[in-house]
Amino acid sequence: MDPLRMADLSPRKKRPRQTGASMSSPSQDVKFQDLVIFILEKKMGRSRRAFLMELARRKGFRVESELSDSVTHIVAENNSDSDVLEWLQAQNIKASAQLELLDVCWLIECMGAGKPVEVTGKHQLVVRKDNSANANTEPQKTPLLAVKKISPYACQRRTTLNNCNQIFTDALEVLAENYEFRENEGSYLAFMRAASVLKSLPFTIISMKDTEDIPCLEDKVKYIIEEIIEDGECSEVKAVLNDERYQSFKLFTSVFGVGLKTAEKWFRMGFRTLSKIRSDKTLKFTQMQKAGFLYYEDLVSHVTREEAEAVSVLVKEAVWAFLPDAFVTMTGGFRRGKKTGHDVDFLITSPGITEEEDQPILLKVINLWERKGLLLYYDLVESTFEKLKLPSRKVDALDHFQKCFLIFKLHHQRVDSGKASQQEGKTWKAIRVDLVMCPYERRAFALLGWTGSRQFERDLRCYATHERKMALDNHALYDKTKRMFLKAESEEEIFAHLGLDYIEPWERNA
Ligand code: DCT
Ligand code: MG
C-alpha cells in the first residue's frame, strides 16, 4: 500500500457535482498533453459520460467532447471492441492502429492514480465472438455472470499481483491501517478482508451492481466503494491521510523495531517527527530501534528483486559452507512474485536437521558474516519447537522455529546502484533479512506459512478450523476428528489434506 499514491487522489475541496452542459472548459490545466481522450456515450449514458469527462478534466486530462483526428484514446463502457469499431464506421471514421480502444476501467484507474496508467490486457475491450448465434447479443463482459461464486476464504481464491481494483483496495487498506493504529482489530480485519476479496476479482468494479455477489463487503465497505465510484476518491481516506495521529503512527512504525505500543507512547509524549525523537536525551531505545534509526533511509526504501537475488546468493554460499545439502528457499513476497519487498525471507532446512536434533547453522552463518563485516544488526531467536505441540489456535501467532532477524550489509558492486549508493560514495545498502530454520519433516508447513500473504495464511487457518475441524500452523496440521497429525512432504499435500485446490505461490497475493 502506498498512501502517498492515495494522497495523490486530488487534494481538492469537495465541489457540488456537475452534470451535462455545465462542465468546466476542456482546456483547463491539461497536465498530460500526450493523450487525448474521447468517451463514448453509447451504452454509458449521457450523465455518466458528462460526469466522467468532468472528473478527468479536473484531474488534468484532455478530454474532447467531439471525436476528431487528434483523439488517441477512446473509452467505452459495456461495449465490445467490435461495437466500437462498428460505431466508428458509422461515423465514417477509420480507426488507426495507434488509436487505443479501452474499457472505462482504464479511465477509473487513471483517476485514482492521478495520472495516465499503463494500458494492459485487462483494459482492452472484450473481443466479441462473431459467430452468428450470439452476434446480436450483449457483449460477454458482464462481471457478475463471468464470475463463479466467490469464496469468503482467500485460500479458495486465486489472487495474482494483477489487481484490477487498486483504486478501492488502496483506500480500504489505508482505512484498515488506521483501525490497526487505533487497535480496533474487528474493523481492521473487516477492511483487510474486503481489500483482499477485491484483489482477486478478474474485473474492475464500475457500479454497485458489480458488488452484489461479492462476499466480505460489509455496509461500511460498500459505502466507501460507492463514494469512490461516484467521486473517484473517498473523503474518509483523505481525512485519515491528513490525520495527525495516523501520520505520526505511520512515520514512527516505519522505523525497524517500533511497534504500536512505542508509537502510541511517542505520540502521547507529543512527538511528531523522527528527528525530535532521535535527538531526545530522555528516551531509551532498544538495540533494534537504534539500528532502525541508524539505517533508516535504506530500510524504508524497498528491497528490489535484484537486491533480493544478490542476498540469496550470499545466504546460500554461507549456509552451504557448513551444510552442503541444505535447501535454502526464498519465501515471503518475493516467492509470490512481488517485484519489491520490505525484507527478504529465507527458509533453511536439510535432511540433517531433524525434530530430535538441532544444528547450529544459523549461529555459524552469523559468526561468518560478522567476521566479514556483513552484519549491521542481528537478533537470533532460539527454537521453542516441540514435536507434539498442537497447532496454535491464534491465527496470527508466530512460529517456534529458530530464526534470525537481521540487517545485512549488501555491497553494491553487482547490483544496480540505487539512491543509497550515490549517497556520498556509500557503496552498500542495509537490507532486512529473515532467516528461519526448520526440521526437515516440517518444511512443507514452514514453507506454506512463510510464503504468505498474511491474509492468505489467516484464511487458510480459519478454513482448516471452521470448515475441516483441523488445526494448521507453520509446524503442523492436526485432524481433530481423527485425533492425529497429518504429515506432508509438499505444499500440494497440505492443500490436498484440507480438500482445497492447489493455489500457486503467485496466486496467494491476497
Ligand atoms: N507471516 C505470517 N504471520 C505473521 C508474520 C508473517 O503468516 N505474523 C508470514 C506471511 C508472509 C511471510 O510470513 C513473510 O512476512 P513479511 O516479510 O512480513 O511479509 P511479505 O509478504 O514478505 O511482505 P514484504 O514484501 O513487505 O516483505
Ligand atoms: Mg517479506
Side-chain angles (χ1 to χ4, degrees):
M1 167 184 39
D2 181 356
L4 291 175
R5 216 184 74 73
M6 286 304 300
D8 207 15
L9 287 183
S10 171
R12 72 187 164 90
K13 280 240 167 65
K14 198 156 183 153
R15 295 181 204 177
R17 253 175 250 157
Q18 298 174 338
T19 52
S22 61
M23 291 175 309
S24 40
S25 138
S27 59
Q28 81 179 38
D29 303 334
V30 174
K31 279 200 254 169
F32 313 108
Q33 302 284 353
D34 291 348
L35 72 184
V36 182
I37 298 172
F38 174 78
I39 304 177
L40 191 63
E41 186 178 309
K42 187 170 161 259
K43 293 194 184 172
M44 175 184 279
R46 183 174 295 180
S47 61
R48 179 153 164 85
R49 174 179 186 248
F51 167 73
L52 286 171
M53 283 170 68
E54 197 227 339
L55 184 65
R57 284 171 180 161
R58 271 207 318 256
K59 300 269 180 182
F61 288 81
R62 185 169 153 203
V63 187
E64 298 287 294
S65 309
E66 305 291 333
L67 190 58
S68 71
D69 285 345
S70 58
V71 168
T72 58
H73 291 61
I74 295 185
V75 170
E77 184 165 40
N78 296 325
N79 281 274
S80 69
D81 68 344
S82 40
D83 287 337
V84 177
L85 289 170
E86 270 166 31
W87 182 84
L88 286 170
Q89 225 167 16
Q91 315 296 308
N92 252 335
I93 292 171
K94 207 161 171 271
S96 70
Q98 287 78 32
L99 185 64
E100 296 271 16
L101 305 183
L102 298 172
D103 188 83
V104 70
C105 68
W106 171 78
L107 186 65
I108 290 175
E109 261 182 62
C110 294
M111 301 297 98
K115 61 181 184 204
V117 299
E118 195 192 336
V119 173
T120 63
K122 69 183 181 195
H123 304 123
Q124 309 286 352
L125 292 174
V126 267
V127 180
R128 189 176 65 190
K129 286 196 192 77
D130 240 353
N131 57 23
S132 48
N134 68 1
N136 290 325
T137 58
E138 281 291 294
Q140 288 150 11
K141 195 181 178 185
T142 317
L144 292 178
L145 293 179
V147 174
K148 282 194 290 185
K149 201 165 174 352
I150 301 163
S151 170
Y153 294 106
C155 54
Q156 288 188 303
R157 304 190 295 255
R158 297 181 193 273
T159 314
T160 65
L161 291 166
N162 188 5
N163 178 1
C164 300
N165 290 286
Q166 194 175 343
I167 186 170
F168 304 107
T169 58
D170 280 355
L172 294 173
E173 284 178 345
V174 167
L175 298 177
E177 193 176 34
N178 190 46
Y179 285 121
E180 187 186 21
F181 290 164
R182 292 174 182 275
E183 294 184 54
N184 180 343
E185 203 195 355
S187 295
Y188 163 69
L189 290 174
F191 276 76
M192 289 304 281
R193 225 179 282 127
S196 170
V197 76
L198 297 189
K199 285 181 189 174
S200 75
L201 300 178
F203 58 87
T204 304
I205 290 174
I206 52 175
S207 78
M208 288 314 283
K209 202 163 183 335
D210 296 339
T211 66
E212 279 170 12
D213 285 352
I214 302 174
C216 313
L217 304 183
E218 296 181 4
D219 285 350
K220 54 188 176 185
V221 168
K222 285 199 172 166
Y223 178 80
I224 305 291
I225 295 175
E226 189 165 20
E227 197 185 344
I228 295 173
I229 290 174
E230 286 182 1
D231 295 355
E233 60 189 359
C234 165
S235 51
E236 197 182 331
V237 171
K238 280 172 73 182
V240 166
L241 291 172
N242 285 317
D243 177 56
E244 202 178 23
R245 185 187 153 96
Y246 174 85
Q247 288 176 349
S248 304
F249 270 61
K250 186 89 185 146
L251 182 67
F252 299 165
T253 55
S254 71
V255 179
F256 174 56
V258 177
L260 293 185
K261 293 251 143 45
T262 308
E264 171 96 48
K265 189 176 88 185
W266 291 346
F267 183 74
R268 284 200 188 177
M269 289 171 80
F271 290 108
R272 297 294 179 266
T273 65
L274 292 181
S275 60
K276 282 263 159 52
I277 294 171
R278 274 174 103 148
S279 57
D280 192 276
K281 295 279 180 290
T282 61
L283 290 176
K284 286 232 173 339
F285 302 119
T286 63
Q287 290 302 322
M288 212 183 214
Q289 289 161 356
K290 281 181 195 164
F293 279 121
L294 208 49
Y295 308 112
Y296 182 77
E297 298 299 332
D298 278 1
L299 297 182
V300 288
S301 88
H302 282 177
V303 182
T304 64
R305 178 164 284 278
E306 263 181 320
E307 288 163 345
E309 294 295 348
V311 173
S312 173
V313 168
L314 297 166
V315 171
K316 286 177 179 168
E317 215 171 75
V319 171
W320 288 341
F322 305 109
L323 201 59
D325 66 350
F327 293 91
V328 179
T329 312
M330 200 191 287
T331 60
F334 286 111
R335 182 161 186 253
R336 302 197 307 275
K338 279 176 63 178
K339 290 204 173 75
T340 61
H342 93 281
D343 67 358
V344 201
D345 308 287
F346 293 94
L347 181 69
I348 300 164
T349 189
S350 118
I353 303 172
T354 64
E355 289 169 353
E356 279 74 29
E357 205 181 345
D358 272 351
Q359 288 251 12
I361 297 305
L362 289 190
L363 195 62
K364 287 182 183 170
V365 168
I366 280 161
N367 287 338
L368 174 76
W369 282 347
E370 241 185 345
R371 280 202 306 276
K372 289 187 171 178
L374 295 175
L375 269 192
L376 299 170
Y377 165 89
Y378 76 89
D379 177 22
L380 184 64
V381 182
E382 282 310 327
S383 164
T384 52
F385 174 77
E386 286 170 39
K387 199 173 161 181
L388 294 176
K389 202 182 254 167
L390 289 185
S392 167
R393 269 160 9 120
K394 283 171 68 184
V395 282
D396 280 324
L398 263 183
D399 63 49
H400 299 278
F401 298 129
Q402 189 189 40
K403 53 181 85 65
C404 188
F405 305 111
L406 60 94
I407 300 177
F408 193 85
K409 185 173 182 177
L410 179 66
H411 289 282
H412 268 301
Q413 291 98 332
R414 279 181 298 165
V415 290
D416 162 51
S417 52
K419 245 194 216 158
S421 62
Q422 290 156 14
Q423 205 180 299
E424 286 165 25
K426 183 163 158 276
T427 57
W428 53 271
K429 181 177 170 188
I431 308 256
R432 273 276 300 110
V433 173
D434 288 346
L435 303 179
V436 183
M437 202 180 70
C438 74
Y440 194 64
E441 297 91 323
R442 308 300 177 113
R443 66 194 183 286
F445 299 101
L447 181 61
L448 180 59
W450 275 87
T451 298
S453 69
R454 280 174 196 225
Q455 189 61 39
F456 192 87
E457 300 300 327
R458 246 181 239 135
D459 283 2
L460 257 179
R461 293 172 191 195
C462 285
Y463 180 85
T465 307
H466 300 297
E467 306 296 331
R468 299 284 166 196
K469 281 200 164 39
M470 292 185 187
L472 173 74
D473 68 3
N474 288 6
H475 319 95
L477 176 63
Y478 183 78
D479 187 324
K480 293 183 210 166
T481 319
K482 294 183 184 154
R483 296 192 177 185
M484 62 185 277
F485 283 99
L486 304 177
K487 288 194 164 34
E489 300 284 319
S490 65
E491 291 178 311
E492 283 89 341
E493 283 181 38
I494 304 174
F495 280 86
H497 282 316
L498 290 166
L500 288 169
D501 286 343
Y502 182 63
I503 307 282
E504 298 282 359
W506 54 91
E507 297 169 325
R508 299 181 204 163
N509 287 291

